[in-house]
Each structure stands twice: as C-alpha cells, then as structure tokens.
Amino acid sequence: MPHDHHDHDHDTPHSHTGMSSSGHPYRQDQDEPLTYWQNMEIAVRELLIEKGITTELEVMRQIDQMDNRSPADGAKVVARAWSDTAFRARLLEDATTATREMGFDIGALQLIAVENTDSVHNVIVCTLCSCYPRNLLGLPPDWYKQRAYRSRVVKAPRKVLAEFGLVLPDDVTVRVHDSTADMRYIVIPARPAGTEGLSLAELEKLVSRDSMIGVALATAPE
Amino acid sequence: MTERVRVREMFPPGHIRTPFYLRGKTGEVERVLGPFGVPEQLAYGLTANREKLYRVRFTMREVWGEAAENPDDTLDAEIFAHWLIPAED
C-alpha cells in the first residue's frame, strides 16, 4: 500500500506544514538568501569589530538598551508635567533639557513637547521615514512606519484619528507635526477630569503610548 | 509679528528632507531652531553647512486647497533656511 506522506505529515507533531496544534498556520523558516543591505550590515559590523572600534558585547548592550525603553518612560514625563507646573513650563519651553533632568537623554537629537488643550489636539508623524521619540517611547508601532498612516494623517487627520476611535469636535484645532528634520516630538495629552489628588504612579497608568503620539486621549480613571 | 515664508518650489535630486507636498506652499514661522548640519550634504559624508531650521506652520487650506478636510487645521514641519524665501503676499 503506497505511503501517503502528505497526510502523514499533517498528523505528526514535527510537521512544518498545515496547521499547528494551536490552530495557527506554521511560519516558514527564514531560509531565503540575505539581501544586499543585510550583507552590508554584517560586513560593516564585522569590520568595526575586527578594527577594535566596537565589540559584539557593546552591540548587544545597545540592542538591549533600545529594547528596554518603553512608553512607561514617556508616561513619567507626562505625569510630572500634569503635577508640577514649573516642570510643565520648562518642558514646553525646552523639552530636551527638561527630560534630560529626569534622566532621559535624547543624544544628538532634540525634543519638542506639544500640549493638548480644550481647543488644540496634536498628532505626530514622520512622512519621510519613521522618526519617533524612541528615547521616551521605545520602538515605534508598525502602523507608525507604514505608508498608509504617514501619507493619510497629514491630509485627513480627523478621518485617521476616527479610525483609532478618536472623534474630535469641530471646535478643536488639529495640529499635525511632521518630523522632517532634527526634532522629535511628544504629545502631552490633556489631563483627564477626576484625577485630582492622584499620585504620580497612578497618573502614569493613564498615559498610553498612543496618547503620546496623539492618536488617543489619556485614559479616564476608573 | 509672525514671519511668513514660502517653501522653494524646486526639485533637485539627492537626499532631501523638505517634503514634496510642502514645496511652493506658504506658512508662518512657528519657531527658529538650530543651527543644524544640512542633510543634503550630511547624507553623502560631505562637510555640512550649518543652517537655521525653521518650524513652519501651514494651514490645511494652504497645503490641500479645496480638498482640505478642515481648512483651519494646521501642519507644522521643519524646513532648512536655504529652502525658504520671504512670502510675497
């Protein structure tokens, strides 16, 4: 009797075709050849290590440092701005220096904080690439880097915000900030009502990543 | 008094950080930053001129005309000095 290899594969736990036992399709192994730029990255990295300019460990530490940044850092800045009027003023005047005093160094770049109020709503984009305040928010979400968001939010911001579930009244002015050069931006969302007397730690929990990009509001307390 | 500026309507090749959709558009200077190295030179490893960087605020009416979603909403972008000329109006 001929052996039906195809069916057999589907039934064994080691099969890499069909559906997994959790009901999801198996993902292909990444066996494709390296692209030109992947080869280039490896070549440059190996050269820098051979020449003693950097080390494998330093590269890994840098990746680790980037992975450990998260929107929780930005939320600390927002909560402090809500609670400390002198800090808020310094933040709006010079966000690079004000956030550095909290230990968030943006390196060679500079930061601008834009504040949402009853009459103004700010939203951030980088139409040319994917500039993002990584030192305060960590890595950007995929949608932030995609052409759909980048091209549409500058032309129809209210429609895009509505798709995020944020419908703004007509008397609120929308200000879109296109990060075209050396500045990075963070939105300071409006402080929700009913948050008087909350601690910094409690306020931080109300500040989402999306609220600091400007596609959401800060969360109202329960 | 706010300064009104127009983005040069030119299309040179190379690494340029002045978005296409703002070329030829007029706006108000929101604030002046820098100086920073000019990206057209930095991108090619050249010694870069250092120039002022202007945050220019455009109305959606100016950028998109009749197609604007809400004409009074605004768009701010950073434009290097050599891309700006005084507005004629």
Side-chain angles (χ1 to χ4, degrees):
Chain A
M1 183 180 162
H3 179 64
D4 191 336
H5 190 74
H6 187 72
D7 277 347
H8 174 75
D9 260 4
H10 274 243
D11 297 328
T12 59
H14 299 294
S15 166
H16 284 187
T17 58
M19 304 299 267
S20 75
S21 54
S22 62
H24 295 281
Y26 282 106
R27 228 170 121 163
Q28 290 283 316
D29 280 333
Q30 293 175 310
D31 291 335
E32 305 82 25
L34 295 175
T35 65
Y36 174 85
W37 293 110
Q38 285 171 326
N39 271 319
M40 184 66 88
E41 183 273 321
I42 294 167
V44 170
R45 172 157 44 87
E46 288 182 349
L47 266 174
L48 290 169
I49 290 165
E50 271 175 35
K51 288 176 180 290
I53 294 166
T54 188
T55 64
E56 288 94 340
L57 189 61
E58 196 173 34
V59 172
M60 289 313 297
R61 280 190 180 142
Q62 203 60 41
I63 293 171
D64 201 38
Q65 195 179 37
M66 178 53 74
D67 283 348
N68 280 320
R69 289 172 183 153
S70 83
D73 294 340
K76 287 192 171 69
V77 173
V78 172
R80 181 154 175 218
W82 284 347
S83 311
D84 177 346
T85 52
F87 176 77
R88 174 182 160 275
R90 290 202 298 284
L91 184 68
L92 295 175
E93 174 73 26
D94 176 0
T96 312
T97 307
T99 51
R100 189 172 287 143
E101 84 181 56
M102 290 183 72
F104 302 119
D105 197 339
I106 197 164
L109 297 163
Q110 295 195 21
L111 186 72
I112 289 180
V114 288
E115 184 183 46
N116 288 349
T117 65
D118 290 344
S119 57
V120 172
H121 182 88
N122 297 280
V123 59
I124 294 163
V125 64
C126 172
T127 56
L128 298 174
C129 47
S130 57
C131 299
Y132 189 73
R134 290 170 183 238
N135 75 314
L136 290 177
L137 301 188
L139 295 173
D142 278 348
W143 56 258
Y144 185 86
K145 299 184 279 186
Q146 281 168 4
R147 202 178 288 269
Y149 176 75
R150 288 157 49 213
S151 61
R152 293 178 65 230
V153 80
V154 290
K155 187 157 188 188
R158 288 170 188 267
K159 187 160 190 290
V160 172
L161 294 177
E163 290 168 13
F164 278 95
L166 175 57
V167 178
L168 294 168
D170 289 343
D171 61 355
V172 171
T173 301
V174 175
R175 295 204 193 290
V176 182
H177 302 272
D178 191 354
S179 320
T180 50
D182 292 72
M183 312 307 289
R184 297 294 175 268
Y185 297 87
I186 183 172
V187 174
I188 307 302
R191 182 172 178 160
T195 55
E196 300 77 13
L198 293 191
S199 68
L200 282 175
E202 288 166 327
L203 290 173
E204 285 164 21
K205 292 199 183 84
L206 308 177
V207 186
S208 66
R209 173 196 72 196
D210 286 2
S211 75
M212 294 181 279
I213 302 173
V215 297
L217 304 179
T219 315
E222 286 167 15
Chain B
M1 183 174 151
T2 50
E3 189 185 356
R4 287 184 61 75
V5 290
R6 184 163 179 267
V7 181
R8 286 178 187 270
E9 198 161 9
M10 57 182 185
F11 302 92
H15 178 83
I16 288 161
R17 298 209 56 98
T18 304
F20 254 66
Y21 74 97
L22 294 176
R23 298 191 196 174
K25 306 297 182 190
T26 298
E28 289 180 350
V29 175
E30 190 264 345
R31 72 181 89 173
V32 186
L33 304 156
F36 294 108
V38 172
E40 285 98 313
Q41 295 161 327
L42 278 180
Y44 299 100
L46 303 170
T47 305
N49 296 338
R50 291 179 69 77
E51 276 185 15
K52 282 184 181 169
L53 182 65
Y54 291 78
R55 286 199 83 233
V56 183
R57 177 163 293 167
F58 306 87
T59 62
M60 291 295 186
R61 182 190 292 105
E62 168 68 11
V63 179
W64 306 112
E66 292 298 310
E69 181 186 51
N70 183 326
D72 296 326
D73 288 344
T74 64
L75 189 129
D76 293 13
E78 303 148 43
I79 312 285
F80 276 92
H82 68 283
W83 274 91
L84 296 172
I85 50 177
E88 286 149 17
D89 52 85

